[in-house]
Amino acid sequence: MEIGVGSYLKKINKSLILSKIIKHGPISRSDLANITKLTKATISSQVADLLEEELIIESHIENNSVGRKPIMLSLRPDAGYALGIDLDYRDIKFTVSDLLGNPVHTERVELENSDYDEIIYILINQIRAYQEKFSHSRFGIIGIVIGIHGTVTNDKTISFVPQHRWYNKDLKADLEKNVNIIVCVENNANLCAFAENVFNFHHCTNLINISMYSGIGLGFLINGDLVKGYHGFAGEMGHMIIHPDGKPCNCGKSGCWELYASEVSFFKQISEKLAKPISTYEDIKNLVIARNPAVITEMDEYIKYVSIGLNNIINLLNPETLVINSELLRQFPEAMSIIKSNIKTSISNYKEIFISDLGTNACGMGACAIAIKNFLQIPELSLTIKQDVLSQSI
């Protein structure tokens, strides 16, 4: 029994030390002891083990002071790599990051249809290729997390993906029997919320992220924990009815929010109005700059519906920080000021609202962050993304 308790305490101490090295590194053993409140003997023993595992590295800090230079500890970023996969409607985006969350490789694969077996085939081939490509590192691919634009149950099976019309798919099991690694399946909006917390809002414990691309999904943290609901279906705010007897939705209802405020719905509407296909953010940006009347009118209508949904969410959940993940809104400089004005009432209360800096990268980066956290078995994860690395690799 004592051996079991000792082993458990050692595991807890290791997790604590690793999380602090990641958050504060490079850091000395002495400072690590002060922050963790662990004895110097415990720090010395655990650090020796981590060095032997090749998870951390030592370095000397350069200074001009007299005396011995302190030895600093850092996580070894190239010890392993995380694979985050954003499985959307028209494409699959693969993001590989080092153990500090910095993207080192991205790839986008276009989808020709929604055939489940074909998409499984693509995923298996890509995963095997990444396993081979990064096999040179100490731990190789340390984890795979897939973001699904639909409902994912608490046992990690897919309940429903509206855009693909998938029902009750066990993607995790179908992949794991073909690749020798554990696969985690998660709702994409939850991964986006986790990414915002890990990379941008480290001290925010009540955060909402709203992803507005092929549909609308909401991920939210309360007291620092992702909220998933009874079966894991929490956050499907895209299917909140805002227009009774409105447009029919794939979910079986009518008037759902995502039919009026998702980016897919906007591009569809503006293409119909202009009688030509409009499919890129650059197209919208140029039309906005030119003050195209049809685009300006449609954008005003779009922002109105975005604001209606946000107002409902704020009144329901009273968030500290609300992050809107929308590349479309970025193309309209006045968007945030209009939204803030629309949602300002005597009872709506929140601390701050932003358009996400991570944008379409958020799901993949959140997936990588979850994989890193699971692999290192640490209680919390705070990472600072290198913007130059992010801009170059994505």
Side-chain angles (χ1 to χ4, degrees):
M1 185 70 175
E2 291 180 1
I3 295 176
V5 171
S7 178
Y8 174 74
L9 289 175
K10 186 175 181 179
K11 183 178 179 180
I12 294 296
N13 290 338
K14 177 183 178 181
S15 297
L16 176 61
I17 289 169
L18 260 179
S19 65
K20 298 306 180 185
I21 289 175
I22 293 170
K23 185 174 183 179
H24 300 286
I27 185 172
S28 67
R29 287 168 172 80
S30 176
D31 288 341
L32 198 53
N34 289 334
I35 290 173
T36 61
K37 308 302 180 186
L38 297 173
T39 66
K40 290 184 178 180
T42 297
I43 294 293
S44 179
S45 174
Q46 290 280 2
V47 165
D49 288 345
L50 290 170
L51 286 168
E52 186 177 351
E53 290 180 51
E54 299 181 41
L55 268 176
I56 64 173
I57 53 176
E58 293 181 318
S59 61
H60 290 277
I61 190 168
E62 295 296 328
N63 58 50
N64 297 321
S65 60
V66 178
R68 190 171 65 178
K69 297 174 182 178
I71 298 175
M72 310 301 285
L73 304 171
S74 304
L75 184 74
R76 181 182 168 189
D78 61 354
Y81 295 89
L83 175 57
I85 302 174
D86 183 358
L87 204 172
D88 205 346
Y89 173 45
R90 296 191 177 107
D91 56 43
I92 308 173
K93 185 174 183 180
F94 299 85
T95 301
V96 180
S97 82
D98 62 23
L99 292 186
L100 288 176
N102 293 304
V104 298
H105 176 85
T106 61
E107 185 176 357
R108 190 185 301 274
V109 176
E110 298 291 329
L111 294 178
E112 297 180 358
N113 55 57
S114 293
D115 185 85
Y116 181 75
D117 291 333
E118 287 188 24
I119 292 175
I120 284 286
Y121 180 77
I122 292 171
L123 289 170
I124 291 170
N125 285 341
Q126 290 290 126
I127 290 170
R128 286 175 176 170
Y130 289 126
Q131 287 176 310
E132 175 63 26
K133 181 173 182 176
F134 293 94
S135 61
H136 66 278
S137 65
R138 172 69 174 84
F139 296 99
I141 295 293
I142 53 90
I144 299 171
V145 178
I146 303 177
I148 301 298
H149 294 240
T151 52
V152 179
T153 66
N154 285 329
D155 64 3
K156 302 305 177 185
T157 58
I158 297 172
S159 176
F160 178 47
V161 179
Q163 296 289 355
H164 284 302
R165 298 293 185 95
W166 290 350
Y167 294 89
N168 303 318
K169 299 293 186 182
D170 196 347
L171 180 64
K172 173 180 169 66
D174 291 337
L175 288 175
E176 286 182 346
K177 65 187 178 185
N178 288 284
V179 294
N180 186 30
I181 192 170
I182 294 175
V183 176
C184 177
V185 178
E186 185 58 86
N187 172 268
N188 76 298
N190 286 340
L191 294 177
C192 290
F194 190 71
E196 297 293 345
N197 182 242
V198 168
F199 292 103
N200 287 330
F201 304 99
H202 301 156
H203 304 294
C204 179
T205 58
N206 289 271
L207 178 145
I208 289 176
N209 176 90
I210 301 170
S211 299
M212 312 190 76
Y213 297 106
S214 56
I216 297 181
L218 182 146
F220 58 112
L221 292 91
I222 294 180
N223 297 325
D225 296 321
L226 280 171
V227 176
K228 300 184 179 181
Y230 176 47
H231 281 303
F233 295 178
E236 289 298 322
M237 298 303 290
H239 298 285
M240 165 179 59
I241 296 174
I242 63 166
H243 201 308
D245 303 317
K247 302 173 185 177
C249 181
N250 286 334
C251 74
K253 298 182 295 185
S254 298
C256 293
W257 189 30
E258 69 176 39
L259 299 176
Y260 302 87
S262 68
E263 293 192 356
V264 163
S265 68
F266 178 88
F267 279 108
K268 180 180 179 182
Q269 288 293 112
I270 200 62
S271 294
E272 290 176 358
K273 282 195 173 184
L274 297 178
K276 63 178 182 179
I278 303 294
S279 59
T280 71
Y281 300 116
E282 189 67 25
D283 290 339
I284 297 299
K285 182 179 180 179
N286 293 333
L287 290 167
V288 169
I289 291 173
R291 306 304 291 180
N292 180 284
V295 172
I296 298 302
T297 299
E298 189 63 31
M299 184 65 79
D300 288 342
E301 186 77 357
Y302 177 76
I303 289 175
K304 180 187 78 173
Y305 281 116
V306 169
S307 302
I308 290 171
L310 293 180
N311 184 72
N312 292 344
I313 291 167
I314 290 168
N315 288 340
L316 178 67
L317 297 174
N318 182 214
E320 175 186 354
T321 300
L322 196 153
V323 182
I324 304 173
N325 199 313
S326 170
E327 288 296 304
L328 179 60
L329 290 176
R330 282 186 177 281
Q331 314 310 315
F332 195 69
E334 300 92 344
M336 281 309 300
S337 61
I338 297 172
I339 289 172
K340 288 179 181 179
S341 176
N342 288 345
I343 62 178
K344 185 177 181 180
T345 71
S346 59
I347 59 172
S348 293
N349 190 275
Y350 62 94
K351 182 178 179 181
E352 49 194 359
I353 181 170
F354 301 97
I355 293 181
S356 173
D357 288 334
L358 300 178
T360 56
N361 306 317
C363 179
M365 292 175 65
C368 288
I370 289 276
I372 292 167
K373 185 174 183 289
N374 291 344
F375 170 69
L376 297 177
Q377 298 182 348
I378 54 179
E380 61 180 23
L381 183 63
S382 295
L383 300 172
T384 302
I385 195 71
K386 297 177 182 177
Q387 291 300 326
D388 58 333
V389 173
L390 182 61
S391 61
Q392 290 171 13
S393 62
I394 296 183

